[in-house]
Amino acid sequence: IAEVSDIIVNPIDQAIFLDVDFKGAVREAIDNRIPEFTYTEANGETVDYTIVRVNMTYNIKRETPTELIRMYENPSADHWLGLDNNGMDLFTRLMYGGRISLLVGFVVIFIEVFIGIIIGGISGFFGGVVDTALMRFVDLFNSIPFYPMVLIFGSVMDALEVEPMVRIFLLMAILGLLGWTGVARLVRGQILSLREQDFMVATEATGIRTSRRIFKHLVPNVMPLMIVYASSGLGGIIITEATLGFLGLGIKYPLASWGSIINTASDAFVMTNYWFMWIPAGMLILLTVLGFNYVGDGLRDAYDPKMKR
């Protein structure tokens, strides 16, 4: 088949094949100075084309709708809490974010209690020079500004582009190492009063070694207080992690925590128009912290001798 014309019709990409009928429809539309025309494809699909002239070149265009990502979609039956700015289901993100937020809280409080019991136990039991040296060491840690140091570590991890999973463990270690001093002082004070009790005099008289006297007889008597402290402190750790996540220095995408989810509310447009992006995460933080505080209050009342009659 041959066609004679002064108009050459070529595809913009050589991988695209244009049949003779389509080329003829294009030439006819150009000759008749028609800005739009309709062509029926071989599969029966009817497509509308637009002709745009640029100097002596005619560009043939068609609308091709392509859905790349669904963002900021309102809650629906398919997505109970809608979709976020990355097109991810918010309900699922909240569930996974809760696991990470609670993991950070439990691990950090464990690190604080573990280090605090060791330092406070040794300091309170031996007293004298050992007590003075360890308390000055605690004072040294207390003089380190907490939030500036955490912000510096977060910025350093951003600069080094630390992997999100590695970042979680580093964040837990940093929070734990900076927060154990309160536990150490609390344990020291309790052991200073307990070491003069009769049962401790008995352990010394029976010749039990020092490490066993500290960790088998003194520390178990401090554990009820530590349980109360840990349950009350969990809420504070979760809030700290949420604060760092809101500032963009906590858990990084694609991982999620409740704080990093709330970070989207830093955009005023999102905060005012897409309530489902930040209110559910904020409510979960509120309920979780409130729950741990109630548990801490209940344990404190249960272990308080004055409450027992």
Side-chain angles (χ1 to χ4, degrees):
I1 300 175
E3 256 190 37
V4 179
S5 174
D6 56 350
I7 299 175
I8 301 175
V9 181
N10 287 325
I12 194 170
D13 185 356
Q14 295 302 318
I16 300 175
F17 173 74
L18 301 179
D19 56 27
V20 176
D21 293 336
F22 179 77
K23 292 181 178 181
V26 171
R27 293 191 181 100
E28 182 180 355
I30 294 174
D31 288 336
N32 295 327
R33 290 182 171 82
I34 301 174
E36 298 177 351
F37 71 96
T38 302
Y39 179 75
T40 303
E41 304 281 353
N43 57 7
E45 179 184 2
T46 301
V47 182
D48 295 327
Y49 290 91
T50 302
I51 301 176
V52 179
R53 178 178 176 179
V54 180
N55 296 326
M56 295 304 295
T57 302
Y58 294 87
N59 296 319
I60 314 301
K61 298 181 179 181
R62 61 177 290 183
E63 290 187 3
T64 306
T66 303
E67 184 178 357
L68 297 177
I69 186 172
R70 294 157 60 189
M71 300 186 302
Y72 300 116
E73 188 173 297
N74 289 321
S76 62
D78 295 331
H79 306 284
W80 292 357
L81 292 177
L83 301 178
D84 63 5
N85 56 326
N86 294 307
M88 294 187 174
D89 183 79
L90 269 171
F91 186 76
T92 305
R93 296 276 287 175
L94 286 173
M95 289 192 293
Y96 279 92
R99 297 197 318 183
I100 293 178
S101 293
L102 293 175
L103 173 67
V104 171
F106 279 105
V107 171
V108 169
I109 207 69
F110 175 79
I111 295 173
E112 290 182 359
V113 171
F114 180 76
I115 298 176
I117 286 178
I118 293 177
I119 301 297
I122 295 174
S123 176
F125 181 81
F126 289 103
V129 177
V130 175
D131 182 29
T132 302
L134 289 177
M135 285 301 101
R136 299 296 76 77
F137 182 65
V138 170
D139 291 338
L140 175 64
F141 264 84
N142 278 334
S143 64
I144 299 174
F146 179 77
Y147 278 104
M149 288 301 298
V150 173
L151 294 176
I152 290 172
F153 278 117
S155 300
V156 170
M157 288 190 287
D158 283 344
L160 296 178
E161 298 181 354
V162 178
E163 292 291 330
M165 187 58 68
V166 178
R167 188 186 183 96
I168 293 177
F169 293 104
L170 291 177
L171 181 64
M172 291 188 295
I174 292 167
L175 293 177
L177 291 175
L178 292 177
W180 60 269
T181 55
V183 182
R185 287 187 176 277
L186 192 61
V187 172
R188 171 184 174 271
Q190 289 293 311
I191 288 183
L192 282 174
S193 63
L194 288 172
R195 70 177 185 176
E196 304 299 333
Q197 300 291 325
D198 292 340
F199 74 93
M200 287 305 300
V201 176
T203 59
E204 186 177 0
T206 54
I208 299 176
R209 66 179 183 271
T210 302
S211 61
R212 186 176 179 84
R213 286 156 59 190
I214 296 175
F215 296 107
K216 283 290 186 178
H217 296 278
L218 282 177
V219 171
N221 283 280
V222 182
M223 286 311 296
L225 183 63
M226 290 297 97
I227 293 173
V228 174
Y229 175 89
S231 59
S232 300
L234 270 171
I237 297 298
I238 292 175
I239 289 179
T240 301
E241 185 278 326
T243 302
L244 295 175
F246 179 77
L247 296 175
L249 298 172
I251 310 303
K252 291 294 185 181
Y253 183 84
L255 300 179
S257 69
W258 290 337
S260 63
I261 292 174
I262 292 181
N263 177 259
T264 56
S266 58
D267 186 344
F269 179 78
V270 174
M271 184 177 65
T272 55
N273 292 277
Y274 303 107
W275 60 269
F276 54 87
M277 291 283 293
W278 57 278
I279 287 182
M283 291 300 297
L284 287 175
I285 293 175
L286 172 65
L287 295 175
T288 302
V289 173
L290 193 62
F292 279 122
N293 286 339
Y294 279 135
V295 170
D297 290 341
L299 291 174
R300 183 182 59 206
D301 295 340
Y303 285 117
D304 189 355
K306 296 179 182 179
M307 299 296 293
K308 297 178 181 178
R309 299 296 182 187

